[in-house]
Amino acid sequence: MKFRLWPKSLVGQLVFAVAVMLFVAQAINFVLLSRGMRQQALAHGGGMAVARVIDAIERDRRGDFRRPQNDEEARERAQKLVISDTMPPVPVGAVRLPDLAKYVSGLLDETNIRVESVDAWALPPRERQRLRRPEFPDRAVIVVAKVDGRYFAVRTRIAVGGNRLQGFLVWQTLSLYLLLLVPIMLIAYRAARPLRDLTRAARANPALRDAEPLEEEGPSDVRDLIAAFNAYRSRIATMLSDKDRMLGAVGHDLRTPLASLRVRVEQVEDDQLRDKMIASIEEMTAMLSDILALARSGAGTEAVERMPLRDLIGELAADYQERGKDVTVSGVAGVAVLARPMLLKRALRNLADNALAYGQRGRLSVTAEAGRARIIVSDDGPGLTEEQIRTLVEPFARGEQSRNRATGGAGLGLSIARDIAEGEGGSLALCNRPGGGLDAIIELPVQA
């Protein structure tokens, strides 16, 4: 499965973008603060070291260093200041600090003291432990400046605040996340929830006339969008109602003269001519019924019911068998769907009629997988080409072009079945079987 770092939802994208920007901002802040604290530590420790070096140089030149009064004062002076003609020894494990040495050298140059060299070392842990003051988290360092051939070694301290800085930035980042991300999530959710409702409503069958208007909520832009959607859906419902009234009128006005014509045709004495005329009238009547059924599919006038497919398929097969048609049941999964019974039966009858017309016999079966029920109508016909599979579900498209009712009809059966399946939240698919024949599959969501 392909991993997608960028979220798909509006809330996820806003939260992810803000979180990343906060992290980047805090990283820049950490770098700047670390650099500032480092410069401050160098300024404090380096300034102290320079002051002690200058004081030692001046006093050494005047020769006014008094002798220590006792051994303790001598040890303390040895820890803080060493003046000798040779390089004083550096404690084992000391770490060189070139940045501090460079900083001290620059400060000494600014005071017009000609420095031959400057070195700085951080004392090893044992030495730092002996000199540490608990209330000041710092590092003890030694700075050695060579001036006029003499070495002046002084002790100083550099503040250490890296751990405290990191802890401060961590708490600051968490606080910013809480202060910014929580309101952003609430605002984004307030905008996204009406959009999700709008998406569900847009995916619903537009022919459902009793759909309630969506509540206009969320930001003003979202409310305007929902208002426009409600207005469009109201117009669509009005147009569909007008279409149904027009179709009802057309169907009534056409069926009445066809029935009257059928009565007159019955009086024709020529049997052969009468049978042909009656067949033509029946073909026109059947075509009219198919056209009206296609136009009205998904109109939503029938109530939706929970239907066990085992009962539906058994009843459908029994109807065909009573009329002497070769329609059998090969296996039905014990699942149910939520649909309109008469429309779903109409779709299955259209598929079964096609199986009988083009494949000699039909077999009905039902399988279930991943929450979807697949109603399969199989035949033993020659199958279809890929081009025919793409085009036969369109209105008035037929594999046999004569449009004779005896060889299939007006080419509306698959279109009606497809529209009914989609109106029930499913789909219709046609596929050739490897061993020959065609499977017409209506797939619907399983109702628990």
Side-chain angles (χ1 to χ4, degrees), residues 51-71:
R52 290 179 177 178
V53 168
I54 293 176
D55 180 66
I57 292 173
E58 291 178 351
R59 297 177 68 178
D60 180 62
R61 289 174 178 176
R62 292 197 306 265
D64 58 354
F65 268 112
R66 66 178 179 83
R67 290 182 174 276
Q69 300 296 322
N70 49 51
D71 293 342

Side-chain angles (χ1 to χ4, degrees), residues 131-139 157-160 164:
L131 301 175
R132 179 175 297 170
R133 292 173 292 177
E135 64 274 17
F136 298 105
D138 52 15
R139 301 174 64 186
R157 312 187 77 83
I158 294 181
V160 178
R164 290 195 300 172

